[in-house]
Amino acid sequence: MQIGLIGLGRMGGNIARRLIARGRHDLVVYGRNADAVEAPHQEGATAGSSLKDLVGRLAAPRTIWLMLPAGTVTEDHVSELGDLLGAGDTIIDGGNTFWQDDIRRAAELRKKSIHYVDVGTSGGVWGLERGYCMMIGGDKAIVDRLDPIFATLAPGIGLIPRTEGRDGRDPRVEQGYFHAGPSGAGHFVKMVHNGIEYGLMQAYGEGFDILKNANVEALPEQYRFDLDIPDIAEVWRRGSVISSWLLDLTASALARSEALESYSGFVEDSGEGRWTVNAAIEEAIPADVITAALYARFRSRRDHTFAEKVLSAMRHGFGGHTELPPSESVAQPKDRSTSS
Amino acid sequence: MQIGLIGLGRMGGNIARRLIARGRHDLVVYGRNADAVEAPHQEGATAGSSLKDLVGRLAAPRTIWLMLPAGTVTEDHVSELGDLLGAGDTIIDGGNTFWQDDIRRAAELRKKSIHYVDVGTSGGVWGLERGYCMMIGGDKAIVDRLDPIFATLAPGIGLIPRTEGRDGRDPRVEQGYFHAGPSGAGHFVKMVHNGIEYGLMQAYGEGFDILKNANVEALPEQYRFDLDIPDIAEVWRRGSVISSWLLDLTASALARSEALESYSGFVEDSGEGRWTVNAAIEEAIPADVITAALYARFRSRRDHTFAEKVLSAMRHGFGGHTELPPSESVAQPKDRSTSS
Amino acid sequence: MQIGLIGLGRMGGNIARRLIARGRHDLVVYGRNADAVEAPHQEGATAGSSLKDLVGRLAAPRTIWLMLPAGTVTEDHVSELGDLLGAGDTIIDGGNTFWQDDIRRAAELRKKSIHYVDVGTSGGVWGLERGYCMMIGGDKAIVDRLDPIFATLAPGIGLIPRTEGRDGRDPRVEQGYFHAGPSGAGHFVKMVHNGIEYGLMQAYGEGFDILKNANVEALPEQYRFDLDIPDIAEVWRRGSVISSWLLDLTASALARSEALESYSGFVEDSGEGRWTVNAAIEEAIPADVITAALYARFRSRRDHTFAEKVLSAMRHGFGGHTELPPSESVAQPKDRSTSS
Amino acid sequence: MQIGLIGLGRMGGNIARRLIARGRHDLVVYGRNADAVEAPHQEGATAGSSLKDLVGRLAAPRTIWLMLPAGTVTEDHVSELGDLLGAGDTIIDGGNTFWQDDIRRAAELRKKSIHYVDVGTSGGVWGLERGYCMMIGGDKAIVDRLDPIFATLAPGIGLIPRTEGRDGRDPRVEQGYFHAGPSGAGHFVKMVHNGIEYGLMQAYGEGFDILKNANVEALPEQYRFDLDIPDIAEVWRRGSVISSWLLDLTASALARSEALESYSGFVEDSGEGRWTVNAAIEEAIPADVITAALYARFRSRRDHTFAEKVLSAMRHGFGGHTELPPSESVAQPKDRSTSS
């Protein structure tokens, strides 16, 4: 299939490569960075010199996949393409766009009979090799027409055992992609996927933290363990209830560096976690774990919060407590004074 | 190896079968329920008629694996065996014992030169086929001597890819078992494993809840999705960042029953979650996610908490708010009155 | 001062009475419910028969205070008044409006030279007697002009001790009202006020829950207390660190009914809690407590969540666990089986 | 009444002064620090030179109030006094002792017919002037006999309005002290009191944090407020739903220093918060808010957690994400790249 691909970063570049190598698709690519175009060009892609040029190189009905940072960059490209494309053409947004933006865009483009498909794409830098899990929103007919693209990018059944009881259900799901619903549904499902991801990551993080600190000086009878964290991560990969791909990655990082010295612990969040919490609130769902995971990231990026200073001020106010130097061990309560 | 096995329930029965089928070990079994003895007996195990009888059938140094409900039942058996066994014999506790009980028991048995090994055993009802992930606490020499048992029960490397960078590390870990440290270390690591499990499960649970409720009547422009939950669980198994064994099980349950009608939602907790939180507190580790997951289970078992009545009473006190009938839709705030 | 007052519910009615009784203000009132007009009319207010009639009875520059349910009702009134009022007139929204709506409305009305003032009003049904705490957003000059209204509604210094170190600061604050900033600032501060309120309420609720359940059958040596909850609430009002007005209300409710039988425990939320969490997220502030308090309310309104069914399904999947009947006591782990 | 008082720190010294000044009690004091004895001595107390000497100066039946740091110090004093005192004498522990220690101690002392009374004492450094709120555990007859002590230390009714509906109830409660139940009950109630205190403090802290950060550079249209935090704290004291003594203290601290510069934000915890969470877990009560408040303190004392490094390592693993320098603004998601 002929596909225009815009955005050749970490994700876009790999998608281009997979589309060419596995699908023999006919790619026309464009990226802001001229160097980034080089690699796909080598592998057989045509390079457009501009959005307009890229559009001109595609035969109608055109299909253009955007793989750009969510937010303004994607928005601007969709907007510009809205002017360049014509009736029957399709824009696919494969990035991490906010699903309500999809709904708005789809409605606007529909006025020009341009189709819009939102694809939540999971797989990270491993997708090139493993394939991408895709959650797709948009009109069914269009999604069906684009099937060759998704089929190429998806991992396929591979070695992952089939789930019993799925006979009669859409077989594409087992290939690793599915049509979630109307516009926005793809990114909505991907958003929740990432919200879950936050929760999973934090659960592992807390567990390893507890293991790492199992040697408490003040409680030498009980907390006397110097545990081998890399070995624990590895052993859990094998037959335990909590084996997962995220654990695989953790085991791998720990095998390289037991103390993870190269990481400081400032953890970014990329939008989906926030949107998931917003959705939970609008649906009145108690999402304690996902939210706590998000907040742990917020906190990781602060030196101290104003909240903490307020606490210290109150403690000083009612009990005359003064703060202890942070250098002192924190595991045990410092102040068992009789006040408050 | 000759092994005594006490406890032939869901887990113990499977362990017996795996030890016989895969390891050709010589098993002497005992279970409270005479019927439970029948199956292992058929497969070649000798059946003891009592603890004492079982001990009598083993040649010194004896090895006895307990697979019993944690708490009083296990405690009583350890205590009784402490009287029946002699110097050089070994008790293995493969159940979900509280790790501080292990420390105490090991110290007591050591006085009689009886060895005590605590084994955190993960794998659930699937262990028979998949093998068990084992985390082992106790004296290294004894753990090494028992290696044939662990090697048989463990999953082995199988199809799970090896983690790079582990060369030179203990190869048993890749087989799915490892020596975590002195007495208690095995169950400590297993306890944290289960704490993580709580967090992972709740993260998935919340995510699916948000997906399930993505059709909000009061917000029809945005929350208009009727999502196919079984398909979502399935597609995430394939190439996504959040693929895991727990997700496999969820996909399987959803394939059988989309709405999970056969479950009411009362969720038990089995001790390890609580102990993990206690450990976090003693180590002063912020374990927000694991704790929230535990509390969600507590809450699932209550009709209403007294806390909630207190809230209602306060709201009535300051704002004259009266409670709305629960039958009304809950997704949107009911009371946007101007008070408080 | 001449004031138009629209909305004569629980809050609006009391505000009318306080404005007349304490401030000798000249009130023109209007409420959808004709009966509601009766009381203020008796006390000296003029009653308008419609919005238009009310506007006609006011001399320019007019001041109209809206005390209506936030959302559509208030929005519609602001919109209609925008057409009826003229340059120099002022609309005060004293309800629980979303602060971003204030920003929008103020900008729209400014085009017609109509002023808009947002007033977060706390005090509930007690405000008539105690006075209202007010947080005000809008142009300083207008807020200053309206001072006689705020001065009447505010509690005044009364018996509440002055805070040292406030010399030279705005004395109105000590009267119980203050100009928070530009449009939206009043409701923003009130929103956070309510977010804090959620957290405070939940903290008390949880504490009383722990006290109420201090008699645990399974742990009779330790948890053997039948505590007098009403007495505890009362004693804490007197000299303790956690004395507060919310505690006063709780003590009062408990004095009437020890078990709070008249409350079922379905707890509504009124918007501000949700918005506070949204604000926390947009500011990247970890607001764990306020959010947990909001979620506890969400959960209180559900029988069971889908999340909980997912947990049960997973537990059944890996451990063969079946749910226990909810009638069984929940305090202790039910299932210490050896699996998972 | 004749009272022995041991421990003359921040709390004990004030208790001595209040007992002498308000109750004309006959005090015999002892403190490790000879200087600390000086002040009460000046006001009329007799000073003992040792525990033994203090005991010798008291007439049977003796009453000794301990006001010492909880844990080893108090334990050692109780133990030593157990040897020095005789049948009919009473030890009062007014510190922040763990309630299960009370149960144990009371049982041990009962063998010698020595009474033990546990008193949870709230009021902090303000108790001298305001009086102390006391929650008392022990035998009713003994608690009644000690009433003159409690009556002197308690705040009395003062200006705090009476709660309606308490007629016929124990009038001591309104004075600010009450008999909670058997040994341990006093400290149990005090423990939960402090747990609630943690939750309240954190709720305020988070709220002020959100207010403090209401000026978000990336969202200038909405988050454009430079709020006056000291004024907000002050205005909420007057007529708002969230007025409280903790808020009074906060307003006071903010009036002295708007940015609370003298506090770094390392927040200690003193044991009761941890024990409250432990109790919640043993009772299976979801105590999300109190626990989150405790964890916020734990987190405040860490530079970075190992959990956070694990998160960073995972993010690097699946998405090639590298950490951003902490100096960059944290309010908005940094990484909206398309991966994961």
Side-chain angles (χ1 to χ4, degrees), chain C residues 112-134:
Chain C
K112 304 180 184 178
S113 298
I114 301 173
H115 306 293
Y116 179 88
V117 172
D118 54 289
V119 181
T121 313
S122 183
V125 292
W126 296 77
L128 172 59
E129 183 189 327
R130 298 204 323 162
Y132 299 92
C133 174
M134 285 165 293

Side-chain angles (χ1 to χ4, degrees), chain B residues 114-232:
Chain B
I114 300 172
H115 306 293
Y116 179 88
V117 172
D118 54 288
V119 181
T121 314
S122 184
V125 293
W126 296 78
L128 171 59
E129 183 190 327
R130 298 203 325 161
Y132 299 92
C133 173
M134 285 166 292
M135 304 139 247
I136 308 165
D139 290 346
K140 188 177 180 312
I142 305 305
V143 173
D144 286 349
R145 187 161 65 74
L146 302 173
D147 196 74
I149 301 176
F150 302 129
T152 303
L153 291 178
I157 286 198
L159 294 174
I160 298 169
R162 299 188 59 188
T163 300
E164 260 187 76
R166 288 195 50 85
D167 297 341
R169 286 184 161 276
D170 186 342
R172 292 177 296 184
V173 176
E174 288 187 329
Q175 304 288 330
Y177 64 105
F178 93 121
H179 181 217
S183 288
H187 280 139
F188 187 89
V189 174
K190 175 57 162 47
M191 170 192 78
V192 176
H193 167 280
N194 281 33
I196 293 172
E197 184 188 301
Y198 279 45
L200 303 182
M201 290 170 70
Q202 181 68 16
Y204 285 116
E206 291 176 9
F208 283 114
D209 210 349
I210 296 169
L211 294 169
K212 182 87 174 174
N213 290 281
N215 202 335
V216 179
E217 217 173 310
L219 298 165
E221 303 293 313
Q222 290 97 38
Y223 291 84
R224 55 175 189 165
F225 304 126
D226 291 306
L227 299 167
D228 187 313
I229 308 297
D231 276 2
I232 293 173

Side-chain angles (χ1 to χ4, degrees), chain D residues 15 23 27 48 67 82-83 107 143 153 157 160 170 208 252 259 268 291 303 334:
Chain D
I15 282 177
L27 243 68
M67 206 66 201
D83 294 335
V143 173
L153 291 178
I157 286 199
I160 298 169
D170 186 344
F208 284 115
S252 186
E268 295 302 314
T291 311
D303 182 18
K334 280 311 159 6

Side-chain angles (χ1 to χ4, degrees), chain B residues 51-65:
Chain B
L51 275 202
K52 193 173 175 183
D53 179 59
L54 175 138
V55 169
R57 289 168 186 270
L58 297 169
R62 299 171 189 86
T63 303
I64 298 180
W65 181 298

Side-chain angles (χ1 to χ4, degrees), chain C residues 163 183 224 234 237 282 332, chain D residues 163 183 224 234 282 332:
Chain C
T163 300
S183 287
R224 54 174 188 165
E234 180 63 28
R237 298 180 62 222
E282 296 205 270
Q332 293 311 305
Chain D
T163 299
S183 288
R224 56 176 189 162
E234 181 63 28
E282 296 204 270
Q332 293 312 306

